[in-house]
């Protein structure tokens, strides 16, 4: 069967007074129906830009995007409207992503009206169903966003994303602004909705533990490039790229006994500017195992064992 989403060699460059900023530089990914792909990396690596480019909230510079067999980049502005019913976005900050002057009812009703649902009874029933689905009572419909906690606001954001019955939701760090206990509630809600509604997620996060919990496939991104792809079990049991290994070693562990025995390796230096990308391997300036040849050739993402892909020439194929 054809994948739900197929992205090939997607690039997004920004022209600045100091030069060309390569935010996303040749990213490819495949997402199947009912699957969650986790995209993880440091802040500024291009994760959110990739998500917005897939939806064409930001226009890509080049590449190909196929969604449900449709060539997304060929769509006109008029043709984008029905496309966006099928793919929705959950934003990072539940405090700024909701209109403070609108009630919850108005926030959830707006996408329905924009996309042609004019029957008042149908709108009312849909809104009440959405509120119950995300664990909020219909008695809150006339309240404003400032009357809710952060977790409740994110539930409203999830309800808004569900309003048009999408098949794919791009979750852009949806729990990073929440307390840990509330993060668990939102992740459990997203997992429950996926099972019940057959949703697919592109889940963007810098938190490895969050990605591990919710993802089927994990993609590690560094400075606009994907450096490792594997299923979540493989990437946690044996990460192969040096960048992934360092991210894993720096992630906090709940068991203090295991944590004290673990050898931690910290990243040296700062992330290079995407305006001045290092030659060859982009990670070489911070890599603990880099050799001279790393500065000469840019490593391609290659399969080193079954469905485990790594962009590092020093990793031996098995």
């Amino acid at each position: 069967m054809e994948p739900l989403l197929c992205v090939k060699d997607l690039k997004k460059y920004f022209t600045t007074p100091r030069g060309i900023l390569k935010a996303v530089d040749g990213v490819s990914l495949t997402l199947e129906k009912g699957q969650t792909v986790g995209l993880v990396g440091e802040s500024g690596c291009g994760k959110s830009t990739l998500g917005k480019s897939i939806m064409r909230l930001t226009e890509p510079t080049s590449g190909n995007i196929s969604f449900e067999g449709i060539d997304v980049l060929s769509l006109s502005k008029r043709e984008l409207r029905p496309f966006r019913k099928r793919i929705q976005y959950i934003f990072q900050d539940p405090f700024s992503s909701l209109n403070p002057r609108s009630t919850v009812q108005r926030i959830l009703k707006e996408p329905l009206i924009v996309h042609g649902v004019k029957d008042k009874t149908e709108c009312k029933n849909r809104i009440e169903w959405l509120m119950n689905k995300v664990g909020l009572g219909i008695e809150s419909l006339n309240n404003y966003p400032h009357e809710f906690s952060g977790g409740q606001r994110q539930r409203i954001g999830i309800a808004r994303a569900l309003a048009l019955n999408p098949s794919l939701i791009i979750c852009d760090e949806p729990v990073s602004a929440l307390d840990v206990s509330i993060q668990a509630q939102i992740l459990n809600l997203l997992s429950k909705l996926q099972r019940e509604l057959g949703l697919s997620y592109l889940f963007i996060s810098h938190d490895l533990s969050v990605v591990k919990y919710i993802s089927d496939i994990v993609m590690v991104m560094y400075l606009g490039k994907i450096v490792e792809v594997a299923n979540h079990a493989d990437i946690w049991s044996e990460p192969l790229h040096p960048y992934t290994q360092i991210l894993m070693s720096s992630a906090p562990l709940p068991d203090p006994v295991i944590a004290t025995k673990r050898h931690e390796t910290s990243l040296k230096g700062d992330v290079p500017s995407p305006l001045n990308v290092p030659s060859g391997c982009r990670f070489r300036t911070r890599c603990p195992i880099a050799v001279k040849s790393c500065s000469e050739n840019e490593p391609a993402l290659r399969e080193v064992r079954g469905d485990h892909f790594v962009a590092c020439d020093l990793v031996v194929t098995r």
Side-chain angles (χ1 to χ4, degrees), residues 189-234:
L189 173 62
L190 289 171
S191 297
K192 178 184 176 184
L193 292 172
Q194 184 175 43
R195 292 192 302 271
E196 294 178 353
L197 305 177
L199 296 170
S200 302
Y201 296 136
L202 176 60
F203 195 94
I204 298 169
S205 179
H206 65 270
D207 191 328
L208 287 163
S209 60
V210 169
V211 171
K212 179 181 180 181
Y213 179 80
I214 200 167
S215 301
D216 302 306
I217 303 295
V218 178
M219 305 181 70
V220 182
M221 193 170 186
Y222 182 80
L223 207 60
K225 289 276 191 181
I226 301 299
V227 298
E228 188 163 3
V229 181
N231 67 62
H232 84 277
D234 284 349

Side-chain angles (χ1 to χ4, degrees), residues 207-209 236 245-254 259 262 264:
D207 191 328
L208 287 163
S209 60
W236 255 264
Q245 292 171 353
I246 293 172
L247 288 181
M248 297 293 183
S249 72
S250 61
L253 293 174
R262 183 177 64 177
E264 292 190 12

Side-chain angles (χ1 to χ4, degrees), residues 60-192:
T61 302
S62 64
N64 295 287
I65 304 171
S66 174
F67 177 73
E68 294 183 333
I70 299 170
D71 182 1
V72 175
L73 297 185
S74 68
L75 299 178
S76 65
K77 289 186 178 180
R78 182 187 295 269
E79 293 168 333
L80 271 176
R81 178 167 290 187
F83 158 74
R84 286 189 173 138
K85 290 177 67 175
R86 305 295 297 146
I87 179 169
Q88 288 287 300
Y89 207 95
I90 299 174
F91 294 92
Q92 176 178 357
D93 187 1
F95 298 92
S96 63
S97 61
L98 303 176
N99 187 343
R101 297 186 178 183
S102 295
T103 63
V104 174
Q105 180 164 328
R106 179 61 189 175
I107 289 170
L108 299 182
K109 189 176 182 180
E110 185 173 9
L112 298 174
I113 295 173
V114 168
H115 287 273
V117 181
K118 297 180 179 180
D119 183 85
K120 293 183 178 179
T121 302
E122 185 179 354
C123 278
K124 178 177 179 292
N125 292 339
R126 183 66 178 175
I127 290 169
E128 291 180 356
W129 179 87
L130 289 168
M131 291 292 281
N132 289 324
K133 208 67 180 171
V134 299
L136 296 173
I138 59 173
E139 64 275 4
S140 305
L141 281 172
N142 292 320
N143 292 356
Y144 290 86
H146 73 269
E147 299 179 78
F148 295 91
S149 66
Q152 289 172 326
R153 291 183 201 182
Q154 197 59 289
R155 288 174 186 266
I156 297 168
I158 294 170
R160 180 176 59 184
L162 291 173
L164 298 169
N165 193 31
S167 54
L168 170 64
I169 297 179
I170 298 176
C171 308
D172 189 358
E173 305 224 30
V175 298
S176 63
L178 307 176
D179 294 337
V180 174
S181 59
I182 306 302
Q183 286 184 14
Q185 294 177 19
I186 297 300
L187 292 173
N188 287 335
L189 173 62
L190 289 171
S191 297
K192 178 184 176 184

Side-chain angles (χ1 to χ4, degrees), residues 299-305 308-317:
L301 193 66
R302 59 191 174 89
E303 187 174 16
V304 295
R305 62 187 187 200
H308 197 142
F309 299 81
V310 180
C312 179
D313 291 338
L314 302 181
V315 175
V316 179
T317 304

